[in-house]
């Protein structure tokens, strides 16, 4: 090699050494992350299903590691996943299982005190369970008008003739969890289901039951899928949507669903979801640590406690008088008016009744509550459901048949108004108002309320929008949250979705108390018994 080449090589080496020495700690951390590796053992999974995390850090040595998640939105940061610690071996390698997240398009990485791996994008399957009904021998003694019925929603059957009930736990091609329990339940009333029989999931993901009903009438069934803890999983129980079986006489006589009405072309039904400008009231006013925070990010069931908070207790009771269901979806609590897959084919008959989820076991007479909610509907014939967020007495005996209620928000998926207020059985007084010009369909909003010993203030996207200063308006009993899709009895409505990203409450020990210049005036209501 010539002297000139030796001098050039030496100069390049010196420059490289200087560049490495000049790297900031952050730049060196970025370099370390680029050298670290992470692979995910499963390509398909449900929220809460155990997936295998394998890889290595850039540095050798045995050390503690943990998972971090990133929401992939502007301004978000990597955040530690509680309870996700593991250890590397002396070569810096790791292999461990952890439940998968439920939110779509969230990233996870393995981190340590000396660096982190690249992130990996997650998108869990929804747990969609279908219930199908058919004659045991494949025939009926009459010819049904199929325009009255809808798959996985309503079916005809004949009195005294056996019919099969097939539960499919993987209708959309999700993983099949062998041996998972499936109970067939029959509706007793809006709040009660009775177990009829039970089976386990087989190789094809289905369980089949057989029933015979002697008397004509309407019988409502659903499948309750048990929790799953195999292979590092922690999947909570879940249910199918209710299925109405119309048992007719052998001549086809008896109560049947109304004929389907002609529908308009469905609108967009899988929106990305826009966010409102305002954020959380808790952050804006410094309310501090929550009493409870429900988010359903890791496959929890409705009977699981909140994932964090000073008082992390409470379970949700789901009720339905029609075809709707409350369950988890995309990392949140989701109410839907009948079976669907968030797609245009969700249009059609079967959307009726009222579906609700009510929190039990964490009620407070005063405090702060907030729900981040998004709702939308399919553009078809029929009326819109009313979507409500309410505070009601936890003790049903003190609800005065709905007259003692704080309406945090009542919205229509196709409207542009947020209605709110409070009612009391005392002299049938009501204080109500509304905020108009609010985009509702497919937009996330934070609906909140603060209740003190002397007033009530409502908030929309952390902005106070109304206040009542009257002790007569205060319920003065422990209150709990209820989320509802409110229909009009058996009347057919539009297919509707309502999803709560998070549900939070605070006590009044920290931060600013809020009030609004807009004072609600007293009126009257006709609610109650």
């Amino acid at each position: 090699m010539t002297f000139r080449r030796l001098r050039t090589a030496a100069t390049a080496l010196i420059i490289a050494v200087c560049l490495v020495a000049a790297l900031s700690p952050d730049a060196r951390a970025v370099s370390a992350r680029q050298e670290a590796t992470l692979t995910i053992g499963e390509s398909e999974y449900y929220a809460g299903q155990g997936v295998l995390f394998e890889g290595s850090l850039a540095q050798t040595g045995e050390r503690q590691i943990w998972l971090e998640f990133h929401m992939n939105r502007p301004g978000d940061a990597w955040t530690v996943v509680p309870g996700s610690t593991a250890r590397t071996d002396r070569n810096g390698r790791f292999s461990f299982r952890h439940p998968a997240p439920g939110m779509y398009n969230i990233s996870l990485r393995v981190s340590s005190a000396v660096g982190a791996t690249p992130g990996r994008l997650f998108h869990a399957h929804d747990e969609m369970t279908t219930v199908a009904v058919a004659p045991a021998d494949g025939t009926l003694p009459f010819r049904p008008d199929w325009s009255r019925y809808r798959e996985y929603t309503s079916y005809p059957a004949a009195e005294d003739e056996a019919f099969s009930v097939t539960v499919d736990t993987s209708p959309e091609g999700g993983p099949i969890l062998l041996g998972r329990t499936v109970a067939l339940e029959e509706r007793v009333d809006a709040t009660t289901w009775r177990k009829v029989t039970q089976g386990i999931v087989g190789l094809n993901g289905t369980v089949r039951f057989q029933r015979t009903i002697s008397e004509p009438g309407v019988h409502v069934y659903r499948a309750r899928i048990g929790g799953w803890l195999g292979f590092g999983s922690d999947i909570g129980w879940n249910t199918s949507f209710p299925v109405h079986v119309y048992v007719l006489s052998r001549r086809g006589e008896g109560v049947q669903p109304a004929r389907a009405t002609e529908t308009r072309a469905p609108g967009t039904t899988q929106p990305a979801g826009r966010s409102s400008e305002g954020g959380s009231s808790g952050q804006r006013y410094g309310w501090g640590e929550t009493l409870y925070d429900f988010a359903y990010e890791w496959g929890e069931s409705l009977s699981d406690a909140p994932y964090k908070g000073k008082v992390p207790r409470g379970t949700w009771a789901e009720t339905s008088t029609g075809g709707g269901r409350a369950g988890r979806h995309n990392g949140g609590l989701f109410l839907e008016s009948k079976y669907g897959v968030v797609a245009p084919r969700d249009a059609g008959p079967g959307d009726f009744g009222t579906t609700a989820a009510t929190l039990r076991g964490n009620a407070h007479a005063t405090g702060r509550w907030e729900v981040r909610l998004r709702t939308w509907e399919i553009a078809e014939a029929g009326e819109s459901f009313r979507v409500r967020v309410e505070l009601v007495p936890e003790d049903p005996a003190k609800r005065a048949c709905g007259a003692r209620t704080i309406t945090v928000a009542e919205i229509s998926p196709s409207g542009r108004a947020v209605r709110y207020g409070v009612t009391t059985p005392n002299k049938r007084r009501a204080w109500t108002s509304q905020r108009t010009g609010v985009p509702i369909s497919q937009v996330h909003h934070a609906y909140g309320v603060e209740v003190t010993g002397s007033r009530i203030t409502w908030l929309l996207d952390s902005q106070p929008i109304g206040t009542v200063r009257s002790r007569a308006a205060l319920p003065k009993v422990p209150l709990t949250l209820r989320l509802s899709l409110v229909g009009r009895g058996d009347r057919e409505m539009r297919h509707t979705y309502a999803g709560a990203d998070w549900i939070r409450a605070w006590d009044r020990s920290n931060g600013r108390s809020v009030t609004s210049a807009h004072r609600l005036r007293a009126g009257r209501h006709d609610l109650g018994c």
Side-chain angles (χ1 to χ4, degrees):
M1 181 180 292
T2 64
F3 175 75
R4 178 179 295 177
R5 289 181 177 176
L6 285 172
R7 185 177 62 184
T8 301
T11 302
L13 180 61
I14 292 171
I15 292 174
V17 170
C18 291
L19 286 174
V20 170
L23 281 174
S24 67
D26 288 343
R28 288 197 294 271
V30 170
S31 175
R33 285 199 297 272
Q34 291 172 344
E35 297 174 17
T37 64
L38 173 62
T39 60
I40 306 302
E42 286 76 16
S43 59
E44 295 186 326
Y45 40 81
Y46 298 117
Q49 185 171 344
V51 298
L52 183 64
F53 292 81
E54 288 188 309
S56 63
L57 300 177
Q59 294 84 357
T60 59
E62 186 176 345
R63 57 177 48 86
Q64 189 176 67
I65 54 176
W66 58 87
L67 285 174
E68 295 178 340
F69 72 90
H70 197 288
M71 303 287 289
N72 294 314
R73 302 174 303 190
D76 285 337
W78 287 99
T79 304
V80 174
V81 176
S84 64
T85 58
R87 295 193 68 84
T88 65
D89 64 17
R90 62 184 181 183
N91 296 312
R93 295 191 296 261
F94 56 84
S95 177
F96 64 94
R97 286 187 173 273
H98 191 274
M103 294 191 67
Y104 298 160
N105 301 319
I106 183 175
S107 292
L108 295 182
R109 72 179 186 183
V110 175
S111 190
S112 72
V114 297
T117 70
R120 291 289 180 262
L121 195 65
F122 281 75
H123 191 114
H125 280 274
D126 274 326
E127 281 191 86
M128 294 301 297
T129 298
T130 61
V131 177
V133 176
D137 63 0
T139 61
L140 286 166
F142 51 83
R143 180 175 294 177
D145 176 3
W146 286 107
S147 68
R148 294 176 179 266
Y149 301 94
R150 175 181 167 81
E151 191 176 30
Y152 309 136
T153 300
S154 57
Y155 293 90
E159 61 176 334
D160 289 323
E161 297 202 10
F163 59 88
S164 66
V165 180
T166 302
V167 178
D168 191 343
T169 63
S170 180
E172 300 296 317
I176 294 173
L177 303 180
L178 294 175
R180 193 175 186 184
T181 60
V182 175
L184 183 67
E185 298 181 330
E186 184 172 6
R187 178 185 283 163
V188 176
D189 53 42
T191 62
T192 310
W193 293 86
R194 175 180 63 88
K195 186 169 76 170
V196 175
T197 185
Q198 182 171 300
I200 59 173
V201 175
L203 291 173
N204 61 356
T206 66
V207 182
R208 179 169 293 182
F209 307 103
Q210 188 161 298
R211 300 286 294 154
T212 302
I213 298 176
S214 299
E215 296 182 2
V218 183
H219 295 257
V220 186
Y221 295 94
R222 74 175 184 181
R224 180 182 170 110
I225 318 302
W228 178 256
L229 300 176
F231 305 101
S233 302
D234 191 4
I235 305 175
W237 61 265
N238 209 351
T239 67
S240 72
F241 283 82
V243 171
H244 288 67
V245 180
Y246 293 81
V247 181
L248 309 174
S249 72
R250 288 185 174 85
R251 293 189 298 272
E253 299 167 339
V255 178
Q256 297 187 63
R259 286 189 175 88
T261 54
E262 183 179 352
T263 62
R264 298 192 294 273
T268 302
T269 56
Q270 180 54 59
R274 292 177 291 137
S275 294
S276 54
E277 291 298 323
S280 164
S281 297
Q283 295 174 338
R284 183 181 182 91
Y285 301 110
W287 289 346
E289 185 182 1
T290 58
L291 288 173
Y292 58 76
D293 188 340
F294 289 92
Y296 296 99
E297 295 180 349
W298 302 94
E300 300 95 329
S301 63
L302 296 186
S303 58
D304 283 334
Y307 83 106
K308 65 178 180 180
K310 291 193 292 187
V311 187
R313 65 170 184 263
T315 64
W316 291 86
E318 32 94 24
T319 61
S320 173
T321 63
R325 182 196 73 158
R328 59 176 178 268
H329 170 76
N330 191 13
L333 177 61
F334 200 72
L335 279 66
E336 191 171 355
S337 57
K338 74 163 182 299
Y339 170 78
V341 291
V342 195
R345 68 175 182 267
D346 293 351
D351 304 281
F352 64 93
T354 293
T355 301
T358 305
L359 181 62
R360 294 177 177 173
N362 207 334
H364 303 272
T366 63
R368 296 142 170 172
W369 294 263
E370 192 169 46
V371 178
R372 188 171 187 261
L373 183 74
R374 175 172 65 118
T375 184
W376 71 101
E377 65 184 14
I378 288 182
E380 59 179 331
E383 300 178 54
S384 295
F385 280 92
R386 288 169 292 166
V387 181
R388 286 181 184 163
V389 178
E390 300 168 295
L391 282 174
V392 299
E394 185 177 45
D395 182 357
K398 297 181 179 179
R399 293 175 187 172
C401 300
R404 187 178 283 113
T405 299
I406 296 175
T407 300
V408 182
E410 178 179 300
I411 55 180
S412 167
S414 59
R416 294 181 64 85
V418 179
R419 292 170 288 278
Y420 56 93
V422 57
T423 58
T424 175
N426 183 10
K427 299 181 181 180
R428 294 186 176 274
R429 281 179 287 184
W431 293 257
T432 60
S433 188
Q434 64 178 351
R435 174 61 63 93
T436 59
V438 180
I440 298 297
S441 180
Q442 305 175 11
V443 180
H444 290 101
H445 289 290
Y447 303 100
V449 69
E450 180 181 44
V451 181
T452 74
S454 60
R455 60 170 174 76
I456 305 170
T457 295
W458 289 263
L459 303 103
L460 175 62
D461 299 324
S462 77
Q463 299 293 331
I465 58 174
T467 294
V468 167
R469 288 186 177 274
S470 172
R471 292 184 181 274
L474 300 172
K476 302 183 183 68
V477 296
L479 302 170
T480 193
L481 279 167
R482 179 172 68 195
L483 281 61
S484 310
L485 297 182
V486 182
R488 298 186 63 180
D490 292 336
R491 183 175 298 187
E492 184 69 23
M493 314 290 281
R494 296 179 182 177
H495 192 90
T496 300
Y497 318 84
D501 280 354
W502 42 254
I503 301 165
R504 297 170 179 166
W506 297 261
D507 59 26
R508 297 178 51 243
S509 60
N510 295 297
R512 290 169 50 194
S513 190
V514 291
T515 188
S516 169
H518 174 51
R519 304 293 173 85
L520 279 64
R521 296 182 177 180
R524 289 181 63 81
H525 66 80
D526 58 1
L527 302 172
C529 305

